[in-house]
Amino acid sequence: MRGWRGAVMAGLCVAALQAAWAQDRPQLSEEAAALATASRYLGDWRPRALDPSRWTPTFVVAADGSGTHRTLQAAIDALPAKGQGGSAAPARVYVLVKPGTYREPLCIQDKAPFTLYGRGDPAEVVIVEGRYNAQPKARGAAAHRCMPLLEAETFVTPGSASVMLFSDDVQLARLTIANDAMDRVRAGQGYPPGAGESGGAQAVALMTRGDRIQLEQVRLLGHQDTFYAERASDELASESRVFVHASEIRGDVDFIFGGATLVIDDSVIVSRAGRRSPGQGGIVLAPSTPDGVQRGFLVQHSRWMAEPGVAPGSVRLGRAWDRGVKAGEWRPSPSAPNGQAVIRDSELGAHLTAWAASTSRRPFAATGEAANRMAEYRNVASSSALPAAAFDAIAPDEGWASMNGGTEGGAKAKPDAIRVVRTRAELDAALALGDTPKLIAVAARIDLAADASGRRLGLEDFRDPAFDFDAFVRQYDPATWGRRAPEGPLEDARRRSAKRQAAQIVVRVPSNTTLVGIGPDAGFDNGSLMLEKVSQVILRNLNFSDAYDFFPAWDPNDNGHGEWNSEYDTVSLREATQVWIDHCSFDDGARPDPREPVALGQRMQRHDGLLDITRRSDFVTVSWNVFRRHDKTMLIGGGDGHRDDRGHLRVTLHHNLWEQVKERAPRVRYGRVHVANNLYVATPGGDYPYGYSIGAGFESSVLSEANAWEAAPGIAPERIARLLKGERLEDRGSRFNGAPVDLVGMLRAANPGRTVDGDAGWTPPYRLSIEAADAVAARVRAGAGTGRLW
C-alpha cells in the first residue's frame, strides 16, 4: 500500500511536468509503444532468468588460491575458443568467482558460450581497474589485450576499459565491474594528468562487443563512460544485442553509450555526484545507433535516481553520439550515427531534464530531416529522487505487522522530516527528530565504526588502557580460575572497553521511523541497529553487515564447557512493536567467526544474531530478505525464563532466502511464529556448515507453510527442524529437494517419548497469500534482497 504522501508528491510532479514534456520530451503514441518492447529489440533471442545456485562451476577463481585459478584472466584463457568442438553447439561453461577484489584489465575474446558469476551479493566480487582516456602510454605499447591501440600515445576511451567482453553468448551474474580512475576527483579538483572537465576523463568499466550478452544482478560503477555497449560489426545487418536485468549502473556523463542494441530492464540507473565542478551537469544515455538500424537503446521498468548533491534538473536524459562527425557536419544516411533510445514505464528522479543536442551540435528535435530518435512512454516522475515506494506502509494481510492497526513507520513524515543521509552525522541528525514521523532515505553504505573523518575505528581505539587480552586469558583460564564468572580489574576493563565500542557502533532507532535504502548498496557496516521500546518502524532495502564485537564476554559455564558471547546483532528488537523489515540483506561481512582464534579452549565469537526479536517484541513481519553467512541467525525469544514474553512475539517470516547459515532460521521461544514460503539452501562445509533451520523452543507455537529446502548431498531432511524444549510445530505443504516432507513425523521419530503436537494451536488472523512450495525457489531468488523494490 503506497503511503499517501508518496502518491501525492509523485502525482504533483507528473502534473507539473506534462507541459514541458510536450515541448522537448516527445512521448510515443500507443501504436509506436507497441513496437518499442524488449521482444522487438531482442528479436529471436529470449534471455532466461539466471540462477547461480543451479550451476556447477568448471573453473573457480579465488585470489587466495582455493580455486582452480587465482586471476580472472587465467580462468578466461583456459576456456575453449569459439567454434571448438565441431558443428555441435558447445555446452556452456561456468566460471565461479569467489568474493574478493580482482584488480586486472580483463580481456574476453572469441570464447565458447560461458557464464562468469558470483554466488552472493554483487558487491562481494569486484573487478576493477583505474585507467582513463588521457592516461599516457608509449607508442607501440598495448593499451589493452583485446584492443592494443599500438599507435596511440594514450589509452583513449576503449583502452581504458576494466573489462572488454568481445564474445557472443556470454552471461555475467552477481558481479561488480568498476573503473575507479576518477574516484579521487572532488568538485573538479584532483584530476589525473591530461584529464579535466573538458575531456580526457572517460574511464570505461565494461565494454561489450558481441551478440546475446546477458547481465543479471551486475553493478557497473564509474563516472564518465561507465558502460560502453558497442556493435560487433559495421555491417548494418549484424546483431549486437545486450540484455541487462536487475542491475545497477552508475556514472555522471554519457555513462551508458555505444552503438549496440541494448535493453535495460528492472534496473537502477544512478547519476553520481561529487566529481564535477559545481554547476556542471550530467548526461545519461549516449547511443550511436546507425541511422539504418531501427533499434538502439530501450530502458524499461527501471528506477532513475541521483546521489545526494545532484541538483534538480541538472542531468540530461541523453544525447545522440554522432561518432566521428564534426560539429555542424551531420548528414542523414543509413550508416550515419543517429542514436535511437526509448525510456518507458520507468520512474524518473527530479534530477532529470530534457534530451540534449548531439555531440556534433545537432539540436534536439523530434521531427525534420535531422530528427533525433529519442522518446519516452508512460514514465512517472518521482519527488526529490525518492521513489514513491519509500513512503509505503505495510499492505493488509502481510503478516503480523499488518495487524493491530498496521505498520506505517514514518510514512506520514512532513517535508522537513524527510531526510536523505550519506554519513553517520547526517543519520544521527535525522534520528534526533525523535518520535516525530520521519522518513530517512539512506543513499550510501554507512560505516558505523567510522569517526567523523571517515576513519574506521578498531580495537585500539575502543580498548580501555587497563584491558590486556593476553592477561585476561591467563587470569580466567578455567584450569586456575575455575568455572566462576570473570570478575576483577581485567573484567571491569573489558566491560569499559565494550561500553566504549557500543557507544560508537550501536544506533538507536526511535518510533515512527522509516529507514529505506535508495540504492542497492545502501545500508550499514560494522555496527548494530537497536529498536528498543519503540513502535512503528520500517526497515527496507538496506544492507546490514559485520556487527563485529572486539570485546566478547567469556561465560565459563555456557554449554557446559564455556563460550565466548558477542553482544551485537546487526538488527535487534527489544520491546519493539509494529515493525516491518523488508527487502534487506544480512551477513557477517569479511570477518567470519570460524576464522577467529581459539582462546580459553573455545573459538572466539565476534557476531551474535543477524536479526534477533526478543523481550516482548510483537506484531513483526520479516519479508523478502536475504540472510547469508552466519551462525546463530535469528532468535525469537531470548530465554526460557522470560515468562513475560507469553502472549507476545507474534512474528511472520515470508519469502526470505536463508543461504550459508548454520542454524536459528528461526529459533523460537514463546512466540506465535508464522514461517511461510521461505527458501532454505543447505550446504555442508565452508565457514558456516548447515546445522538446522527451524528450532521449536520453550512454549513456542510455530506454523510452517509451503517452505522449500534445497539441500546438498549428505544433508538429510531429518535435520531441518529441531525440538529445543518445544512441542508444537505444524507444517503444511513444505518440500525438501522437490519432494514432500513430513516435519512433524520426523520430529516424533527423532524424539521418542516426547510429545510433538502437529497443530500450532492458532490460526493466522490475516490472509497472507501462500504459494505452492515448488514455486518458492524461483520467486524468492527473483525478489528477495536489496535492489528489488523499484
Side-chain angles (χ1 to χ4, degrees):
M1 179 175 67
R2 175 171 290 181
W4 66 274
R5 190 167 190 84
V8 170
M9 294 176 79
L12 288 175
C13 286
V14 171
L17 291 175
Q18 288 295 336
W21 285 1
Q23 298 297 319
D24 56 6
R25 294 176 66 168
Q27 306 294 303
L28 294 181
S29 66
E30 293 292 335
E31 294 77 13
L35 301 176
T37 63
S39 61
R40 294 270 186 174
Y41 274 67
L42 298 178
D44 61 0
W45 178 41
R46 293 293 180 269
R48 297 181 179 181
L50 304 183
D51 184 358
S53 70
R54 300 183 181 277
W55 302 333
T56 300
T58 306
F59 301 135
V60 177
V61 181
D64 62 5
S66 61
T68 59
H69 299 82
R70 288 181 178 272
T71 69
L72 286 154
Q73 191 65 63
I76 296 301
D77 290 345
L79 294 173
K82 180 180 179 179
Q84 284 187 356
S87 58
R92 179 169 292 275
V93 179
Y94 293 92
V95 180
L96 169 65
V97 188
K98 288 192 173 183
T101 298
Y102 299 84
R103 184 168 287 276
E104 53 180 300
L106 184 61
C107 172
I108 304 170
Q109 192 165 27
D110 296 330
K111 291 295 182 178
F114 77 95
T115 300
L116 184 71
Y117 70 103
R119 276 195 173 135
D121 189 299
E124 295 176 351
V125 176
V126 179
I127 307 167
V128 62
E129 255 295 336
R131 304 178 179 191
Y132 61 97
N133 178 312
Q135 183 175 339
K137 76 170 186 67
R139 185 184 295 271
H144 201 289
R145 180 171 161 180
C146 275
M147 187 177 286
L149 302 167
L150 298 177
E151 295 304 309
E153 295 183 351
T154 67
F155 281 86
V156 302
T157 296
S160 71
S162 299
V163 175
M164 285 190 179
L165 201 173
F166 292 3
S167 196
D168 298 338
D169 296 300
V170 177
Q171 299 169 340
L172 306 179
R174 300 192 186 182
L175 307 168
T176 295
I177 301 174
N179 189 312
D180 62 0
M182 300 297 144
D183 281 7
R184 294 182 180 86
V185 183
R186 290 290 181 271
Q189 301 298 310
Y191 277 104
E197 298 293 289
S198 60
Q202 297 89 343
V204 177
L206 172 65
M207 180 179 180
T208 63
R209 195 171 70 184
D211 191 30
R212 299 180 300 278
I213 295 173
Q214 182 175 358
L215 279 65
E216 178 95 13
Q217 293 188 57
V218 172
R219 303 166 73 232
L220 303 178
L221 310 181
H223 287 88
Q224 187 166 348
D225 291 13
T226 303
F227 180 26
Y228 187 0
E230 187 54 288
R231 293 179 61 78
S233 167
D234 290 336
E235 296 180 10
L236 297 184
S238 68
E239 296 277 18
S240 299
R241 294 165 293 182
V242 181
F243 179 65
V244 179
H245 178 253
S247 296
E248 175 189 5
I249 308 172
R250 287 188 184 240
D252 51 25
V253 174
D254 297 340
F255 61 95
I256 303 172
F257 72 111
T261 297
L262 170 65
V263 175
I264 300 175
D265 176 63
D266 189 22
S267 294
V268 179
I269 297 171
V270 184
S271 290
R272 302 191 73 171
R275 174 180 74 100
R276 309 200 76 199
S277 299
Q280 297 291 326
I283 300 168
V284 182
L285 304 180
S288 189
T289 323
D291 202 28
V293 174
Q294 286 187 314
R295 297 179 177 91
F297 290 2
L298 171 65
V299 184
Q300 62 178 16
H301 308 299
S302 293
R303 168 73 184 145
W304 296 53
M305 54 187 295
E307 294 179 348
V310 177
S314 65
V315 176
R316 298 280 189 164
L317 286 171
R319 62 178 174 178
W321 176 23
D322 292 345
R323 184 199 328 237
V325 179
K326 295 180 180 179
E329 295 186 2
W330 186 89
R331 299 292 183 271
S333 76
S335 60
N338 189 12
Q340 189 277 336
V342 170
I343 304 169
R344 61 174 299 165
D345 301 300
S346 294
E347 191 169 357
L348 308 184
H351 62 296
L352 295 166
T353 186
W355 304 93
S358 77
T359 56
S360 70
R361 304 298 184 265
R362 179 164 47 112
F364 182 83
T367 59
E369 185 181 50
N372 297 89
R373 299 186 297 164
M374 299 180 180
E376 298 175 71
Y377 176 70
R378 212 164 55 189
N379 294 318
V380 175
S382 67
S383 60
S384 304
L386 290 188
F391 296 84
D392 282 354
I394 196 168
D397 296 316
E398 279 289 307
W400 278 112
S402 65
M403 306 306 295
N404 195 39
T407 300
E408 63 179 9
K412 291 184 178 178
K414 294 180 179 180
D416 61 353
I418 300 173
R419 305 288 179 87
V420 178
V421 303
R422 290 181 56 81
T423 67
R424 175 63 181 273
E426 291 172 343
L427 174 67
D428 290 345
L431 294 173
L433 293 170
D435 292 342
T436 300
K438 59 201 159 300
L439 189 149
I440 303 173
V442 182
R445 199 69 168 258
I446 298 176
D447 188 341
L448 297 179
D451 64 14
S453 69
R455 182 179 70 90
R456 179 179 294 180
L457 305 177
L459 184 146
E460 289 304 316
D461 298 288
F462 301 126
R463 185 180 66 85
D464 185 272
F467 180 70
D468 182 304
F469 179 73
D470 292 335
F472 185 95
V473 171
R474 290 192 299 270
Q475 177 72 34
Y476 302 114
D477 186 338
T480 54
W481 181 262
R483 293 294 171 181
R484 293 177 293 141
E487 60 180 355
L490 279 170
E491 171 64 6
D492 293 342
R494 185 201 66 80
R495 291 174 182 267
R496 289 193 299 270
S497 302
K499 186 176 181 180
R500 291 173 66 175
Q501 183 183 2
Q504 169 68 36
I505 73 166
V506 176
V507 174
R508 292 187 171 271
V509 179
S511 296
N512 305 313
T513 300
T514 293
L515 269 169
V516 58
I518 56 171
D521 59 341
F524 305 98
D525 289 331
N526 306 309
S528 173
L529 262 59
M530 174 65 72
L531 283 59
E532 185 170 21
K533 297 182 179 179
V534 297
S535 184
Q536 292 293 342
V537 176
I538 295 175
L539 308 178
R540 301 186 82 195
N541 203 47
L542 295 164
N543 294 278
F544 297 96
S545 186
D546 199 9
Y548 189 89
D549 190 345
F550 286 105
F551 309 99
W554 169 248
D555 181 347
N557 297 300
D558 194 352
N559 282 332
H561 50 64
E563 294 282 1
W564 294 95
N565 291 312
S566 170
E567 177 64 22
Y568 309 114
D569 310 316
T570 52
V571 176
S572 182
L573 277 60
R574 300 176 185 172
E575 298 185 62
T577 61
Q578 308 300 147
V579 177
W580 182 28
I581 300 173
D582 179 69
H583 282 93
C584 295
S585 294
F586 300 79
D587 63 47
D588 277 357
R591 297 183 285 190
D593 283 350
R595 302 182 194 179
E596 291 294 326
V598 171
L600 297 177
Q602 297 299 320
R603 183 80 58 189
M604 296 196 70
Q605 181 192 84
R606 302 293 190 176
H607 304 87
D608 195 9
L610 289 180
L611 171 59
D612 280 6
I613 303 168
T614 62
R615 303 315 302 250
R616 300 188 301 283
S617 292
D618 215 354
F619 298 106
V620 177
T621 294
V622 179
S623 56
W624 298 101
N625 302 284
V626 174
F627 299 93
R628 283 196 179 101
R629 298 189 308 280
H630 194 78
D631 186 346
K632 301 172 182 177
T633 310
M634 180 183 293
L635 184 64
I636 302 177
D640 295 350
H642 296 177
R643 308 287 181 178
D644 52 355
D645 280 341
R646 287 174 177 148
H648 302 284
L649 298 176
R650 285 168 282 192
V651 180
T652 302
L653 311 174
H654 73 83
H655 291 95
N656 300 290
L657 170 60
W658 313 77
E659 189 173 37
Q660 298 176 56
V661 297
K662 186 174 181 180
E663 60 183 42
R664 298 188 183 182
R667 188 219 197 281
V668 184
R669 297 181 177 96
Y670 292 105
R672 292 185 175 186
V673 176
H674 190 189
V675 184
N677 280 168
N678 293 273
L679 173 61
Y680 297 89
V681 180
T683 55
D687 289 326
Y688 298 110
Y690 182 73
Y692 72 92
S693 296
I694 300 174
F698 191 76
E699 292 192 16
S700 64
S701 299
V702 179
L703 172 60
S704 165
E705 286 195 274
N707 296 293
W709 277 266
E710 293 180 351
I715 296 178
E718 288 80 6
R719 292 174 60 180
I720 64 180
R722 284 187 184 177
L723 286 189
L724 302 169
K725 301 183 183 179
E727 58 184 28
R728 283 185 178 274
L729 192 152
E730 179 178 355
D731 182 73
R732 306 170 184 170
S734 293
R735 287 182 173 265
F736 182 89
N737 285 343
V741 62
D742 181 6
L743 266 68
V744 176
M746 291 186 301
L747 285 173
R748 287 171 176 160
N751 297 273
R754 292 188 59 184
T755 299
V756 181
D757 194 334
D759 184 343
W762 60 281
T763 300
Y766 47 82
R767 296 182 179 180
L768 180 67
S769 178
I770 305 294
E771 301 170 278
D774 56 9
V776 166
R779 283 277 286 148
V780 169
R781 285 197 171 95
T786 58
R788 308 298 180 85
L789 282 178
W790 40 75

